[in-house]
Structures are given as structure tokens and as C-alpha cells.
Amino acid sequence: MSTIQSEQSPQAGIGVELTPELLRKRRGQLRIIFDRFIRNKVAVAGLAVLALITLAAIFAPVITHQTATFDPNTATDVYHIASGPIPGHPLGTDYVGRDEVARLLFGARVSLLVGLASMVASIFIGVSVGALAGYYGGWLDNLMMRVTDAFLAIPLYLILFVLAATFTTGSGSASVIGVIVLIAAFSWPATARIVRGEFLGLKEREFLLAARTLGANDFRLMLRHILPNAAGPVIVAATLLVGFNIITESTLSFFNFGVQPPESSWGTMLATSQDYFSEQPLLVLIPGVAILITVLSINLVGDGLRDALDPYMTER
Amino acid sequence: MRRYVIRRLIQAVVMLFVMSIGLFLLIHAMPGGPDAVLFSPRMTAATRANLRHQYGLDQPLIQQYLSWLKSVLTGNLGFSFASGQPVAAEIGARIPATLELFAVSLSFALVVAILLGVISAVRQYSLTDYSVTVLSYFGIAMPVFFFALIMQEIFGVKLGWLPTCCRTSADTTGFTAFENFQDAVIHLIMPAVVLSFLFIAGWSRYLRSSMLDVVKQDYIRTAKAKGLASRSVFFGHALRNALIPLLTQVAIDVGAVFGGAVITETIFAWPGLGKLFYNSLQARDYPVLLSMLLLGAASVIVFNLLADVLYAVIDPRIRYS
């Protein structure tokens, strides 16, 4: 419980000084989690792969020598169509002669952006709903949980297909934002349930009574006292959600309901190259394997975090 | 128990009623509206007005909702824009294909998942256990459509063993009964395997961990202490109890029958509910989409309730109040 008390910083006027000893204990908790995670070699490998993919996406313009007049993502090499690996195009070119390395790296930007942004929005909604329902209980809880049930009951791909067919028809970046909003709008219920459960269990605990007695208001109690204690499951859910959302985005884009040209994600790459599978299998395999490896790494990291954050595995 | 079920059923009806309003408004709020695709630009204003009247689109929104609700309650679910047929007839015609696909693929998934789950629990941390784990991680991270594309390419295009589309051959005239059956089976194999893949990955992990939980229980120790052979401890005691949570999960997954196959059915042109949904979406056939969304939600809710009841029925330790 020492970490909880140290959350009550001196400026809040609660009177618990952040003594060096408390600070050390607080660091100690993170240290334990970090050590446990590091020992899980598979999860660390997943994290390393993920870091590599993220860096490649961020530095895509540098890696592919993008200049003001030359965009490797759209430039076509008309002498090499669906070429397969050749000098100058290490992964070959696609069906209109665009460099496959550039397509892959710039596609990573869109896929990762959609996965991350929709996760953030989804977690925000899920945590808000779950926290309010779990904290206040009563009719508010009942109402919010029925809404959550309703969202869970609607078959995900049916509603996403219907809405995406209408709302992501805009071109390029408008469609990317549309996909992010749609995925977030239908992926929050699971998080809301998890957070509600955590809040229900935590709100009756003594440290909360103590904080309330000291004058903390509801908002502060939820945000500073309960939420940090529910952080573990939320972090795990958030991690796994990124992978899930990347798959959802790629599926939408594969059926042309997702990211629209001129933007392209791994899903759109698959959609446009599926007819060339027999001719040049690489065009399908490259984006597909990219999705597979990325989501696999995310899931491994998520499971590693779950084990590392599990309080029942605590060791001192 | 009975009171619990009745309360849940009343809750479900209220929820579906509210959802029907929400879904109706959502569909009608969509740009273009339900009537935008009905009309060709060459129609005269009179024809247009006449058609709008025939489909009831000239009535106020509340009136349209009420007549749709009435059609849902009386069971014909309104009329399709595209075919003019009752939506219930359109859906009914597609149910056998989806049921066939779902039944075969879920049974296959259940058998394989139980086998894999038991083996990896019995031989925990063995090579088999690790292989099953790796496979299920890949299964969960692999987009269904990507897996389907690869299967089609290998077994359909390259090897030519299996057809890549449809439920039967285009021309089955002159087929004997046995040839028809053979034809149906070879068309079913690929979509069923693709659909079962995700279930196998999920369920085998689920069974493995619930097996490992059960094995730690006191009654397993008692059974061993009595001198029972480890085989009968595992299969007679542990597996039977470990299957309970898996079966409820299976019941929940069966509830996804309306939406669960849309990707697989579209890719393999399987003429089931998922393909109907996809086609209706392409044709902006809103009455069909609306009713399928509502039925899909109803099916999820009913099977969730069924899972809870099933749980209490096969596990006497569970009591609902």
C-alpha cells in the first residue's frame, strides 16, 4: 500500500511527505514489474520487433530517400511491374511499379497510426464508462452496463461494414480518421467491463475511505486513487487492443471499406494485390506477413505485461 | 433459476427494443438515405413519388419505424429494396448454407481444440505443448482473410485440389446423389477450415488453462489417492470438469452465427447470411441490413443467456439468484 500513500503528494495538503524511503519503495514496485518483464524472453523479443517496426515506420521517408520532388511511395518504375526482388527494389515492385519497400514502410505508418489512435480513443471511452459505472453504481451503473451490453451484442463486422461503407468513403486522410473513429466506437465495451470490475472491488477499500476523509472529491478519488490501482488490467487491455484494431482495420480496408487512396495501409495493399497472387505472391505475402508479425509481437508483449503486472506473482 | 431466466429475458426484450430504435435511426441517418439507391436518375418525378409511396418512404419517420417494428413482430421483417421479397424469405433462404458451414466448422474446431487442449495440458511444457502454443499465437494474430487467400492460392490455384468458391459446382446436372454429396463436401472443406482456425486457436488455449486449473483441485488428488489410473483421472474427472467453461464459451461463439461468417463467406462466395449481408451492403438494401443487424444482436443475446443457463445446468455448483 506504500505506493498508494506516496501518490498523495505534499501539495495536495494531505500531509504525507514523499520521503526518500517512500520514493524508493515506489520505484521498487516498478522495478519488480520491469525485472519480471525482462526475464520473459519471448515478450522482450516481441518488444524488440515492435520497436524495430515502429522505428522503420517513423523513419520511412529517410530510409526510402524521400525528397521534395520524389515520393517513393507513389513513384512508379514502369519498366519493372510486379518484378520481384531486383537491384534497386529489394522487395520488388507492385502491380503499377511502385517500390514494395516504400509501400511497406509507408503502409506501416497508416496501420500503426490507426491501431494506436483507435486504441487511445477506445481506452478513453472504456475507462470513462467503466469508472463512472463502477464508482457511482446504482441506476447509472445499470444504464451504462446495458449500453455496454448492447454494443457488445451487435456483430462487430456487420455494423463496421455498414458504417464504414458510408463514413470512410472520403479520400485519403478523411478515410483514415473515419476508420479510427469507427473502430474506437465499437471496441471500448470490453475495457469498460474490466474497469468497472476493478472499480467495484477497489471502491470499498480502506485507503479510499482514508482519502475521502481527508477531503478528496469524487473526481480525485477516481483519477488519483482508484485508477492507478486498476492500471495493470487497463495497460494489458490497451496493448492487446492495438493488435486487434490493426487486424480490424486491415479487414475493413481489404473489403474496400477502410483506408482509401491516396493513403494506403497494409490492408489496402492486400486488397489491391490479391488479384496478382499467382503472378507475384510477394505482393500478398509481404503486407500479410507484416500484419501477422506486428500483431503477434503486440500480443506477446501484452501477455508478458499481464504476467509481469499480476499481483499474485509478486515476489520480494 | 426460473426467475433469473425470466428476468434476463425481459431485460433482453427491452434492450432489443431500444436497439431497434437506435439501429433504425442510424440507418436512416446515413447519407443518401434508404431510398437514394432505389431510383435511377432517369425516372420521372411521378414514378419516383409512386415508388416512394409503395415502399412507405413518404410517411413520417415514426410511422416508418412503427411499420417496420410491426413487420419484425409479425415475422416478415419488411421488404427488400433489391428483390421486393419479404426480408424474412431472403434470410430464410440463406440460413441452410450458413448453418451447414457453421455446424461443420464448429464441430471440427471443437474436436481439434479438445485434442490439442488436452494434449498440451497433459504434457505441459513438452514440445507438443509449445508447438500448440506457437500455433495458437499465430492463429490469433493472422487476419482471417489473409489465411483464406493463402489457402485458396495453395489448394485452389496451385494444387487444384479444392474449389475456391461457392457451395456447389455451377453445373450439377446429371450428378448422382453420391456425386452431389461429394461435390458439396469438396466445396465445404476450405471455408470450414478457414472459419474453424480462429476457434481452434482460442478454444484450445482455453481448455488447456481450465484443465490445468482443474488438475490442481482437491477432488483430483482424492481420485489419484484412491489409486485410479492417471488416464481415467484425466479423462473421467479432469476433462469432464474442464469442459464446462469451454462449452459455455462455445455457446457464446455460436451466437455469432449472423456476423461471424461474413468475411469467410464473402471470400469463398458461400451463399449464406454473411454473403447476403455483403451483397445487401453493396446494393444499399437497407431493410435487409437493418433486420440482419437486429437479428444478429438478438442471436448474440439469446446465446449468451443460453450459455449462462447451460453453465448452471451442467455445473450444480453454480446458482443464480
Side-chain angles (χ1 to χ4, degrees), chain B residues 24-35:
Chain B
F24 182 84
L25 290 177
L26 191 72
I27 293 275
H28 279 257
M30 302 211 326
D35 49 342

Side-chain angles (χ1 to χ4, degrees), chain A residues 198-220:
Chain A
E198 292 289 321
F199 268 59
L200 278 180
L202 287 166
K203 73 172 178 181
E204 308 294 346
R205 298 269 287 268
E206 286 84 356
F207 70 87
L208 222 73
L209 185 65
R212 198 195 307 271
T213 318
L214 288 167
N217 62 20
D218 286 353
F219 188 66
R220 188 184 170 81

Side-chain angles (χ1 to χ4, degrees), chain A residues 13-309:
Chain A
I14 290 175
V16 179
E17 293 288 335
L18 278 178
T19 60
E21 195 210 351
L22 277 178
L23 274 176
R24 201 166 46 241
K25 277 195 174 168
R26 179 175 179 176
R27 223 183 345 257
Q29 189 72 34
L30 282 179
R31 181 84 213 178
I32 290 168
I33 293 169
F34 178 77
D35 285 349
R36 236 187 266 151
F37 184 82
I38 282 293
R39 237 177 292 139
N40 185 340
K41 290 193 188 66
V42 185
V44 172
L47 190 62
V49 172
L50 218 50
L52 211 66
I53 294 170
T54 313
L55 284 176
I58 292 172
F59 293 107
V62 182
I63 298 169
T64 58
H65 309 294
Q66 189 181 40
T67 62
T69 50
F70 173 72
D71 184 359
N73 192 29
T74 53
T76 52
D77 179 349
V78 290
Y79 299 107
H80 300 104
I81 303 288
S83 67
I86 50 168
H89 300 293
L91 290 178
T93 57
D94 73 1
Y95 60 99
V96 286
R98 292 175 296 200
D99 181 52
E100 195 64 8
V101 173
R103 300 289 296 162
L104 181 68
L105 295 184
F106 281 92
R109 298 183 132 202
V110 177
S111 288
L112 294 181
L113 174 74
V114 172
L116 280 172
S118 53
M119 175 277 280
V120 171
S122 165
I123 288 290
F124 180 77
I125 306 171
V127 168
S128 308
V129 170
L132 290 173
Y135 185 83
Y136 287 110
W139 66 268
L140 187 71
D141 178 31
N142 216 328
L143 177 73
M144 284 182 147
M145 281 306 109
R146 292 298 82 74
V147 173
T148 308
D149 288 346
F151 269 83
L152 276 176
I154 302 176
L156 181 69
Y157 278 111
L158 297 195
I159 190 78
L160 282 183
F161 276 13
V162 168
L163 292 178
T166 317
F167 291 116
T168 62
T169 47
S171 71
S173 44
S175 70
V176 176
I177 294 170
V179 171
I180 292 172
V181 171
L182 276 183
I183 295 178
F186 289 92
S187 59
W188 60 266
T191 314
R193 276 194 173 171
I194 295 170
V195 172
R196 173 181 174 269
E198 292 289 321
F199 268 59
L200 278 180
L202 287 166
K203 73 172 178 181
E204 308 294 346
R205 298 269 287 268
E206 286 84 356
F207 70 87
L208 222 73
L209 185 65
R212 198 195 307 271
T213 318
L214 288 167
N217 62 20
D218 286 353
F219 188 66
R220 188 184 170 81
L221 285 176
M222 281 190 261
L223 214 62
R224 294 294 302 259
H225 296 276
I226 310 185
L227 197 55
N229 283 289
V234 175
I235 292 170
V236 174
T239 311
L240 298 176
L241 206 52
V242 177
F244 183 78
N245 290 353
I246 288 178
I247 290 194
T248 311
E249 179 277 321
S250 69
T251 308
L252 287 178
S253 297
F254 180 75
F255 287 102
N256 288 326
F257 297 136
V259 173
Q260 304 292 329
E263 296 292 343
S264 78
S265 69
W266 290 335
T268 36
M269 286 172 75
L270 272 160
T272 49
S273 59
Q274 55 171 319
D275 295 338
Y276 305 87
F277 202 150
S278 303
E279 208 178 311
Q280 185 48 264
L282 272 181
L283 295 182
V284 174
L285 293 178
I286 287 170
V289 170
I291 297 170
L292 179 63
I293 289 176
T294 307
V295 177
L296 186 64
S297 308
I298 292 171
N299 290 349
L300 291 174
V301 173
D303 284 359
L305 282 173
R306 191 201 311 268
D307 292 345
L309 289 163

